[in-house]
């Protein structure tokens, strides 16, 4: 693999040396942040007669053929930025021109007019979704994530992009070393308005952690805004079967070199889950359960930070976030055991479970940025510390009504503490001959401790230690990484090869009920290659094609390795697998962009040692348990297509479809597995501007019958609508929304793998009517244009 990378770099260097002998004007367009500027119109005129030589749309870099001893006039324009004109004299060699495009800004009293951010745009291998329109109809950050176009979020908090492997969740560019359930709980505690944008990386570059086989979803939270003193207050109420109330305030302050912000949000939320399941424990014996659980919770969220610019080239920032969530749950679970041959009832049981938990999350981030030149070279360094604490008190009772038997009761305490330290440094250099070099180092240290102490009363009124559920488990994980990647545009092709080296050191030890340990030490190399080129023109705008090749890893996380059994009810529990091995995926993907908007993608994922959540059944006790296991290999083929009406008028929309086909080969519960299944996902977003201050939004998704963790899911989806009315000179917004209007965002399922044969359905409190009031004070951006992409201006 190293030989292949050396060959690629040698090829790039050799081609560039030949290419440099041609007479060209090599144009680079940058934003004010020294990033590549997408979707600008560049026009080249020959002087003195001002004859148009060529007009083309430039995405960061472009090339114009040029004659020697000739003077040209170059004009560059794009929506939302100031037009630029530059005279260029070509003598006897090629000319390199770098232009920084600055936003259009004009002042009307206390109102600043700037261009509106696009709703969706593509930046090389990253899709960026502006969260503003989505957050208007959402009560928390988790609901914002649920509505991201093309992303499917299941009821356990897993997020799926192109692959059936769940994506890795980042917040502000940092991976959350938490279970899916813990991440979902944390996101539900964050207000919807705290999300600035969501970045989707289906095939991340070598700069990102290799532990991202299913891609990366990076949730970027808002920070301070440089608009003097500004802020907002919000109040919202959502009513479904149960109600959710939330209120908060955000204050930003910018004075000279110092920018600061502070926000607070309070949320009182209630929800429910209804789970019906039928599972055969024998050919003619059926266990039928109807569980109903409510989840009332109170959350307090605080965030703040400062950013100080010591010079124009060097700044240091500090951000902190604190979330405290207090939740209770009450589960009512009647159970019937039926002989299907005779339709007779063999038993009636009742399981009641009560949980009272408190979770806290604290993040501290210190970052610095040093701009090394005006071309975009920079050096950034970050040190982060995250603390997560979860405490739960549980008590349960299992009543045996038919045949009558003594009631079994139990109670216990569960404590889970995580400390995570991250040190990262990244260097970007703009080198001669239009090379860009990126290199960096990252060290991630994670220390977790889980302890559970349970007592049980089997019916005689005396409690004793439950040795099955009492557990103490310690876990340490150290992952260090270094990466290197270069990029260069040659003859219209943009090449970006890279490589990442990661060392993994994992140690886990169970102290109670018995002393056992696990250890994983390994070093892996992950190559990456990105190539981009204009394909052909459509409506006078070039379609841009790109191909991506990468390798990635998915490591078992702490909860999937912990052998501690987590009690669900007397017929089901969750347990980790300390023998779990990492899985490796090779990904190939081809993408097509139109005006920086992704319109088509097709890819292949080849995964070996794939591990997935599985459900097994104890052949003796007939109790089912959910765990993780390595099943073999999987080949997945997927494609995605998106289209819509271009923005600019009162109405625009986009609609998309994705198809996934999976072929698993291996063993499930020690039985041969040869499993093939495909499914479609459809999604859309529509916006109608009734008046300049009255906007209607509608978005939705539908997923056809498919597979997830070997559960066959029937078709499900959701439709979300909202209206937004601006008042008081656009300082106040009144938003009325309806989530899951048709109440179709629930699933029915069945599984027939190994010795598990079950079916059922799952419902949540998804259909809710919401009213949100938001008032902005101080400096406030005024909308100039609302779009999912900004069309280029032409001269």
């Amino acid at each position: 693999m190293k030989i292949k990378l050396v060959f690629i770099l040698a090829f790039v260097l050799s081609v560039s040396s030949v290419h440099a002998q041609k007479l060209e004007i090599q144009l680079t367009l940058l934003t004010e942040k020294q990033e590549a500027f997408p979707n600008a119109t560049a026009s080249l005129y020959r002087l003195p007669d001002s004859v148009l030589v060529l007009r083309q749309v430039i995405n960061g870099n472009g090339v114009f053929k040029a004659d020697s001893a000739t003077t040209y006039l170059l004009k560059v324009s794009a929506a939302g930025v100031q037009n630029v004109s530059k005279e260029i004299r070509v003598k006897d060699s090629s000319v390199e021109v770098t232009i920084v495009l600055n936003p259009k800004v004009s002042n009307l009293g206390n109102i600043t007019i700037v261009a509106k951010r696009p709703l969706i745009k593509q930046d090389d291998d990253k899709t960026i979704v502006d969260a503003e329109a989505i957050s208007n109809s959402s009560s928390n950050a988790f609901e914002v994530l649920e509505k991201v176009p093309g992303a499917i979020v299941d009821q356990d908090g897993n997020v799926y992009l192109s692959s059936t492997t769940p994506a890795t969740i980042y917040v502000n560019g940092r991976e959350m070393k938490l279970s899916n359930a813990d991440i979902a709980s944390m996101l539900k505690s964050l207000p919807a308005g705290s999300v600035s944008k969501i970045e989707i990386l289906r095939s991340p570059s070598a700069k990102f952690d290799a532990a991202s086989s299913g891609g990366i979803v990076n949730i970027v939270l808002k920070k301070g805004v440089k608009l003097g003193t500004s802020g907002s207050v919000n109040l919202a109420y959502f009513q479904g079967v149960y109600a959710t109330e939330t209120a908060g305030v955000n204050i930003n302050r910018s004075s000279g070199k110092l920018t600061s912000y502070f926000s607070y949000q309070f949320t009182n939320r209630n929800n429910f889950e209804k789970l019906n399941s039928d599972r055969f424990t024998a050919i003619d014996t059926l266990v039928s359960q109807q569980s109903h659980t409510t989840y009332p919770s109170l959350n307090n969220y605080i965030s703040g930070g400062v950013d100080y610019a010591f010079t124009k080239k060097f700044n240091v920032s500090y951000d902190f976030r604190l979330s405290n969530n207090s939740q209770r749950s009450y589960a009512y679970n009647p159970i019937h055991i039926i002989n299907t041959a005779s339709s007779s009832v063999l038993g009636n049981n009742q399981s009641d479970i009560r949980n009272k938990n408190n979770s806290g999350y604290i993040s501290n981030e210190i970052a610095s940025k040093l701009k090394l030149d005006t071309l975009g070279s920079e050096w950034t360094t970050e040190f982060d510390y995250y603390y997560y604490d979860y405490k739960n008190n549980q008590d349960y009772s299992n009543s045996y009504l038919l045949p009558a038997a003594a009631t079994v009761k139990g109670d216990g305490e569960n404590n889970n503490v995580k400390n995570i330290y991250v040190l990262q440094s990244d260097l970007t250099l703009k080198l001669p001959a239009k090379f860009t070099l990126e290199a960096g180092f990252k060290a991630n240290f994670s220390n977790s401790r889980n302890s559970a102490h349970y007592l049980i009363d089997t019916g005689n009124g005396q409690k004793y230690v439950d040795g099955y559920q009492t557990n103490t488990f310690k876990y340490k994980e150290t992952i260090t990484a270094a990466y290197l990647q270069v990029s260069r545009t040659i003859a219209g092709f943009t090449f970006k090869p890279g490589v990442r080296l990661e060392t993994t050191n994992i140690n886990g030890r169970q102290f109670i009920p018995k002393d056992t340990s696990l250890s994983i030490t390994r070093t892996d190399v992950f190559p990456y290659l990105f190539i981009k080129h204009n394909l052909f023109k459509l409506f006078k705008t070039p379609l841009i094609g790109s191909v991506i090749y990468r390798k990635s890893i998915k490591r078992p996380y702490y909860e999937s390795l912990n052998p501690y059994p987590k009690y669900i009810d007397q017929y089901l529990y969750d347990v980790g697998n300390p023998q779990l091995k990492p899985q490796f995926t090779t990904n190939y993907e081809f993408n097509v962009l139109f005006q920086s908007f992704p319109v088509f993608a097709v890819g292949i994922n080849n995964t070996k040692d794939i591990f997935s959540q599985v459900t097994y059944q104890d052949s003796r006790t007939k109790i089912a348990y959910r765990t993780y296991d390595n099943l073999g290999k999987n080949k997945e083929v997927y494609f995605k297509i998106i289209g819509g009406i271009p923005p600019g008028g009162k109405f625009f929309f986009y609609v998309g479809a994705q198809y996934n086909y999976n072929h698993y080969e291996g063993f499930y519960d020690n039985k041969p597995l040869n499993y093939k299944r495909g499914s479609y996902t459809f999604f859309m977003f529509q916006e109608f501007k009734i008046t300049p201050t009255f906007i209607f939004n509608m978005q939705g998704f539908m997923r056809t019958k498919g597979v997830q963790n070997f559960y066959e899911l029937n078709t499900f989806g959701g439709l979300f609508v909202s209206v937004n009315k601006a008042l008081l000179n656009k300082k106040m917004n009144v938003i009325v929304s309806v989530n899951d209007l048709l109440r179709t965002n629930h699933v029915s399922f069945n599984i027939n793998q190994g010795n598990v044969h079950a079916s059922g359905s799952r419902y949540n409190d998804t259909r809710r009517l919401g009213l949100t009031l938001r008032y902005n004070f101080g400096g406030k951006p005024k909308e100039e244009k609302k779009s999912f992409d900004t069309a280029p201006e032409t001269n």
Side-chain angles (χ1 to χ4, degrees), residues 627-690:
T627 186
Y628 292 83
D629 206 353
N630 294 102
L631 302 176
K633 62 181 181 179
N634 174 44
K635 182 175 182 179
E636 179 180 39
V637 180
Y638 61 88
F639 73 83
K640 178 184 292 187
I641 186 169
I642 304 175
I645 296 178
K650 288 188 174 183
F651 175 73
F652 79 88
F653 83 94
Y654 67 80
V655 60
Q658 179 174 307
Y659 178 74
N660 292 78
Y661 181 81
N662 285 273
H663 182 193
Y664 295 91
E665 291 182 282
F667 292 89
Y668 190 107
D669 201 11
N670 298 318
K671 296 180 180 180
L673 173 69
N674 194 327
Y675 188 80
K676 302 176 183 178
R677 189 67 78 242
S679 66
Y680 287 92
T681 302
F682 302 94
F683 51 91
M684 65 87 176
F685 179 91
Q686 301 184 52
E687 180 176 283
F688 178 55
K689 186 175 290 186
I690 302 171

Side-chain angles (χ1 to χ4, degrees), residues 155 271-272 739-740 743-746 764-768:
Q155 291 171 310
N271 197 1
F272 80 89
N739 283 4
D740 194 15
R743 206 186 179 199
T744 53
N745 193 14
H746 56 82
N764 292 86
D765 194 5
T766 54
R767 183 165 63 181
R768 288 175 291 110

